[in-house]
Amino acid sequence: MALVQELRHVAEKELVDLAVDWAVVHGITMRTREGTIDHAPVTLLPTPFPQSQLEKALAAQRTLNRLLHNLRLKPEYILSELSAVRPQLKLLFRAVVPS
């Protein structure tokens, strides 16, 4: 019985390592508070997700897709829109990215 548990532990660790590697290679990463890059939280098993939250995510995705499509067609649009908030962006960048 101990051998079976050990094998399960080894298999689980290998699966977790594969999932983390896959996440990093595919850009599922985030910057930690310490400024390092780490993989974002992922789940290996099906996880319940509220239907209402899924619907919100789908609605936001449609809007984001439309925005990205329009930005691709008119890249000057984002530059003109961001010019109004450029000073605030510099302050935000300084606050988020340590020197």
Side-chain angles (χ1 to χ4, degrees):
M1 191 65 165
L3 179 60
V4 171
Q5 287 178 338
E6 185 178 333
L7 288 174
R8 282 187 184 154
H9 178 72
V10 169
E12 181 182 320
K13 179 161 178 15
E14 286 182 16
L15 184 58
V16 168
D17 289 345
L18 284 171
V20 168
D21 289 347
W22 188 92
V24 170
V25 167
H26 288 85
I28 304 174
T29 58
M30 61 185 187
R31 185 176 300 276
T32 65
R33 291 180 185 195
E34 295 78 29
T36 60
I37 301 296
D38 196 2
H39 66 87
V42 296
T43 181
L44 298 176
L45 303 173
T47 304
F49 195 79
Q51 181 71 29
S52 62
Q53 295 301 314
L54 176 62
E55 290 168 5
K56 286 180 183 179
L58 291 174
Q61 184 62 44
R62 285 186 211 100
T63 302
L64 183 60
N65 285 347
R66 212 172 305 122
L67 173 65
L68 293 175
H69 176 74
N70 288 334
L71 289 175
R72 175 67 178 101
L73 294 177
K74 300 177 193 171
E76 65 279 355
Y77 168 76
I78 190 71
L79 297 174
S80 67
E81 292 298 313
L82 288 178
S83 65
V85 294
R86 190 176 189 146
Q88 291 85 355
L89 287 176
K90 285 182 181 179
L91 291 172
L92 177 64
F93 186 73
R94 275 192 228 124
V96 173
V97 180
S99 300

